[in-house]
Amino acid sequence: MKASEYILPTTKDDPSDAVVASHKLMIRAGLVRKSSAGLYNFLPLGYRVLRKIEAIVREEMDRSGALEFYLPILTPSDLWETSGRWDRMGHEMFRITDRHKLSYALGPTHEESFASLLKPILKSYKDLPKNVYQMHTKFRDEIRPRFGVIRSREFIMKDAYSFHLDSESLNDTYELMRKTYRTIFKRCGLKTIPVQADSGSMGGSGSEEFMVISPIGEETLSICPSCGYSGNIEKTPVNWKHVESDSNLKLEKVSTPKTSSIEDVAKLLEITAKETIKSVYLVTNDGRKVLVFLRGDRELNEVKLNNHLGSSELRNMSDKEASELGIVTGFCGPKQFPKELISLYDTSISKTSSYVAGANEIDFHYKNFILNRDYPESITQLDLSKSEQNDPCPSCESPLSQEKGIEVGHIFKLGEKYSKAFDIKVLDKQGKSRLVTMGCYGIGVNRTMATVIEQANDEKGIQWPISIAPFEVALVSIAKGKEELEQVEKIYKYLLDQKIEVFWDDRDLGPGFKFKDSELIGFPIRITLGKSFFEKKEYTILNRKTNEEATYSFQNEKELLDLINSMRVKLFQELEA
Ligand code: ATP
Ligand code: MG
């Protein structure tokens, strides 16, 4: 490809609405242009990258035995009503009405479509297992589209859905997808870590997210530097080892005026938040009222609570609702509450240690409150707190650290949620009709592209891994006059004939400009044929990743080709390492 015939709208300045490197660089390098909030046009250079990522994903999915489909984006509402998601999806789903007043959604995901498509096709255990996928546009009306194509409203996803006779078979495919995903991301030059993720509200039994550690990540991960455990903090169990204490401090009711927050009461009594018990009052989406006690310094993990209660959303209880249940807001402590209030205790609270707890009376707290002694009723104690930095690792007990991460892929054991909803049954070996069990597996293609840039850039621009670079080789010529240009063209044509993916910057521009553009766009290999080439037959090759440039003397085209090829091989090998 010749730059003079290409569309290459590179810019020097960062776009004003971009805050992260990948977004800035994708615009500046002319890979994408914003259309409107959360919508991006892919320009030829950017689209080449996207197609290369798709090709890698497709190759690896096909290798795993998955079968590619192509389904409509427009999905009728009755599919979503069957699964109960027409309501549950809320505002994230783009909805459309046709001329006959029938409702549709622009598919944000395709569990329902694939479930209804495969239901009449899968008849016997002999038809299982099957893993089906597509690489297609998805629509999600994200509340906050941001970071360019990392969180956009229209994007390409590879979504796969597997169907099985039993959980053993599901586990096998899940493991295979896990391996496949690692290979896919590795081939894209992306370092990912699979982390244990929450799967509760989707009704599944296992789930892992493929995360890229990045300061701009929207997820927080617990990582164990010792044993390598990694989990989304939503999911990470917090294991408490309380030491029994036999405190004989006397329970004491103390006046604590105007101390409705943990901070205030701790300050007044000159103690730390750790020495207090706090309470959180919430209402579930189905109207159940819940009171949770935690150690004063810990935060409630709503995902864990939702999983325990089987609810999908929580809101704060109003003062009125709380007082109707006998909760003295700001001064609530353990006591017998009416049955309609579910009260739960986080395992951060030791039953034998003494705490400051609310006295269920305005402006009063108890000092030296010991659960076992002062509230010996049977209580439900569970792990309901958010994992924190330095908490013991759930597998080896070393202190955990925390990192931010971007989710690029997600694998999920769905179980029977959709097969039940769509009544997908097959005949087993004994001729008995059995519900199938399912898995689903997603990769964000555009998000993967942007995330690679987050990991591979420097002050000059992008440093594409060779596997997904828009072109593998940039040929920059600084030629004066027709004759010099023809010499370069001969080399360019030779390289093209030899199937080298070469982008020739033949534009009539100064060298500085061309070098800057090639570095901004980030071609992995750059050949420069400049003044010394025409004078002394010397040329240079730049490795954009290391920014090392070496000079060679030109013997013939074949030798140049061999050099390029050996560098290509090396760059591909580095991805596999
Ligand atoms: P997130 O928590 O980031 O919203 P999600 O859990 O909604 O992601 P999934 O439903 O699991 O995502 O979708 C599978 C993959 O699709 C994600 O791992 C991600 O790579 C990609 N993806 C999801 N939402 C978007 C979006 N708005 N823009 C770009 N890619 C997305
Ligand atoms: Mg989402």
Side-chain angles (χ1 to χ4, degrees):
M1 188 55 69
K2 291 183 190 175
S4 61
E5 293 165 5
Y6 215 67
I7 287 185
L8 209 60
T10 54
T11 62
K12 228 172 89 191
D13 298 317
D14 288 334
S16 58
D17 63 340
V19 290
V20 300
S22 57
H23 186 191
K24 291 176 188 167
L25 289 169
M26 283 174 85
I27 306 265
R28 284 190 50 211
L31 307 180
V32 300
R33 279 278 166 105
K34 184 169 168 175
S35 155
S36 76
L39 298 176
Y40 287 86
N41 301 300
F42 273 77
L43 275 53
L45 215 52
Y47 191 46
R48 285 182 67 93
V49 177
L50 212 53
R51 280 191 355 237
K52 283 198 178 177
I53 298 175
E54 283 184 4
I56 292 174
V57 175
R58 181 170 285 120
E59 219 177 283
E60 294 302 330
M61 287 303 291
D62 292 351
R63 197 197 304 277
S64 80
L67 306 169
E68 187 169 9
F69 282 61
Y70 187 80
L71 270 55
I73 291 172
L74 217 50
T75 53
S77 60
D78 48 350
L79 283 182
W80 298 93
E81 264 149 17
T82 305
S83 69
R85 289 210 286 184
W86 184 251
D87 292 327
R88 215 166 333 117
M89 277 285 182
H91 294 300
E92 199 167 295
M93 198 145 83
F94 279 104
R95 293 160 207 255
I96 278 182
T97 310
D98 73 6
R99 63 173 80 203
H100 307 294
K101 306 273 178 289
L102 296 172
S103 309
Y104 299 81
L106 295 177
T109 174
H110 279 78
E111 281 82 1
E112 283 81 354
S113 300
F114 271 106
S116 92
L117 171 63
L118 290 206
K119 174 185 158 75
I121 296 176
L122 303 175
K123 295 195 174 85
S124 132
Y125 72 95
K126 288 181 194 155
D127 300 326
L128 298 180
K130 283 285 175 299
N131 193 10
V132 297
Y133 80 99
Q134 63 174 346
M135 197 110 57
H136 213 346
T137 308
K138 297 278 183 271
F139 293 84
R140 293 186 185 181
D141 196 358
E142 299 279 356
I143 300 184
R144 277 199 303 161
R146 57 187 195 144
F147 300 161
V149 303
I150 290 185
R151 185 170 298 285
S152 54
R153 300 199 296 163
E154 175 176 337
F155 56 95
I156 299 172
M157 198 202 287
K158 185 287 296 169
D159 48 328
Y161 308 88
S162 66
F163 296 79
H164 311 268
L165 193 64
D166 52 35
S167 54
E168 232 166 66
S169 161
L170 169 59
N171 289 346
D172 289 346
T173 299
Y174 184 84
E175 278 310 313
L176 181 60
M177 281 298 100
R178 205 166 176 265
K179 273 202 205 106
T180 302
Y181 273 36
R182 293 210 93 150
T183 312
I184 288 171
F185 291 124
K186 214 168 164 189
R187 284 187 61 188
C188 292
L190 198 55
K191 276 195 212 87
T192 57
I193 48 168
V195 307
Q196 300 290 328
D198 173 62
S199 50
S201 58
M202 291 270 290
S205 53
S207 148
E208 265 165 300
E209 290 162 340
F210 283 75
M211 291 284 187
V212 175
I213 303 285
S214 161
I216 69 153
E218 293 176 290
E219 308 282 334
T220 310
L221 320 176
S222 305
I223 310 271
C224 178
S226 271
C227 74
Y229 168 88
S230 52
N232 194 314
I233 55 159
E234 290 177 347
K235 167 85 181 184
T236 308
V238 186
N239 297 329
W240 293 92
K241 283 231 166 78
H242 297 298
V243 234
E244 294 258 325
S245 75
D246 49 0
S247 161
N248 50 13
L249 295 167
K250 263 184 72 186
L251 183 69
E252 201 183 324
K253 190 154 136 187
V254 288
S255 160
T256 52
K258 297 202 185 86
T259 56
S260 56
S261 76
I262 288 292
E263 239 171 44
D264 292 342
V265 73
K267 201 166 152 199
L268 178 79
L269 300 176
E270 296 181 335
I271 53 168
T272 60
K274 269 190 184 162
E275 296 163 274
T276 68
I277 292 178
K278 78 169 170 197
S279 50
V280 185
Y281 356 98
L282 301 153
V283 184
T284 62
N285 54 309
D286 51 9
R288 284 173 290 165
K289 314 249 170 38
V290 195
L291 170 62
V292 182
F293 292 106
L294 303 113
R295 203 175 73 179
D297 61 321
R298 304 296 297 207
E299 291 292 319
L300 174 69
N301 180 330
E302 294 198 357
V303 174
K304 288 182 184 173
L305 182 59
N306 270 326
N307 287 347
H308 172 67
L309 297 170
S311 47
S312 61
E313 266 170 56
L314 297 161
R315 66 166 171 88
N316 290 327
M317 204 185 279
S318 69
D319 284 351
K320 185 167 168 278
E321 287 168 316
S323 81
E324 279 167 7
L325 289 162
I327 296 172
V328 182
T329 51
F331 299 90
C332 175
K335 75 160 192 164
Q336 201 72 53
F337 287 96
K339 275 221 171 62
E340 60 265 34
L341 179 66
I342 306 167
S343 40
L344 303 169
Y345 290 73
D346 179 52
T347 41
S348 55
I349 302 171
S350 150
K351 284 173 149 181
T352 61
S353 304
S354 72
Y355 294 97
V356 165
N360 299 304
E361 203 175 305
I362 290 190
D363 291 347
F364 282 95
H365 277 86
Y366 284 123
K367 256 171 93 169
N368 308 324
F369 180 90
I370 299 170
L371 256 181
N372 261 358
R373 181 190 71 187
D374 303 317
Y375 186 68
E377 268 48 37
S378 86
I379 56 165
T380 311
Q381 209 169 8
L382 337 144
D383 171 20
L384 293 172
S385 73
K386 266 191 198 147
S387 160
E388 289 182 10
Q389 180 116 359
N390 293 325
D391 275 353
C393 167
S395 54
C396 78
E397 298 190 358
S398 308
L400 288 171
S401 66
Q402 288 192 346
E403 301 276 2
K404 292 281 176 199
I406 306 173
E407 178 198 321
V408 286
H410 196 170
I411 58 174
F412 208 102
K413 292 182 193 168
L414 287 169
E416 294 177 347
K417 185 180 157 82
Y418 295 93
S419 46
K420 255 190 202 143
F422 286 86
D423 193 36
I424 311 177
K425 287 184 176 147
V426 294
L427 295 179
D428 67 10
K429 266 191 186 147
Q430 285 74 39
K432 254 180 55 194
S433 177
R434 264 170 70 169
L435 264 190
V436 307
T437 185
M438 287 174 64
C440 75
Y441 319 91
I443 289 181
V445 177
N446 328 33
R447 188 182 284 184
T448 297
M449 170 172 172
T451 310
V452 169
I453 302 177
E454 285 298 325
Q455 272 190 354
N457 72 82
D458 63 8
E459 65 294 343
K460 294 175 182 168
I462 305 168
Q463 296 166 298
W464 284 117
I466 192 158
S467 55
I468 62 168
F471 290 87
E472 293 178 356
V473 180
L475 176 65
V476 173
S477 61
I478 304 134
K480 277 196 233 88
K482 203 169 151 231
E483 197 190 307
E484 285 186 5
L485 210 58
E486 275 170 7
Q487 279 187 57
V488 182
E489 181 148 33
K490 195 171 151 241
I491 294 174
Y492 165 69
K493 284 204 166 134
Y494 173 81
L495 294 177
L496 274 190
D497 288 343
Q498 298 303 314
K499 307 273 181 277
I500 295 292
E501 220 181 58
V502 53
F503 187 85
W504 175 24
D505 195 346
D506 61 333
R507 293 174 299 176
D508 190 14
L509 291 169
F513 200 93
K514 291 187 178 188
F515 290 146
K516 278 211 180 89
D517 263 2
S518 79
E519 284 154 9
L520 172 62
I521 295 165
F523 304 104
I525 300 170
R526 181 179 75 197
I527 318 284
T528 304
L529 302 180
K531 206 167 148 200
S532 7
F533 178 73
F534 302 109
E535 283 171 2
K536 302 184 276 183
K537 289 270 170 203
E538 270 177 14
Y539 65 96
T540 59
I541 302 190
L542 171 86
N543 175 335
R544 178 65 182 97
K545 197 173 146 208
T546 59
N547 285 316
E548 283 163 357
E549 192 159 27
T551 305
Y552 299 88
S553 87
F554 184 83
Q555 311 297 330
N556 54 48
E557 278 103 359
K558 172 76 172 60
E559 215 163 22
L560 171 65
L561 174 71
D562 290 345
L563 254 177
I564 293 174
N565 272 331
S566 72
M567 193 155 162
R568 286 182 63 238
V569 169
K570 199 174 134 245
L571 289 173
F572 272 107
Q573 276 169 352
E574 280 171 13
L575 292 177
E576 277 161 33

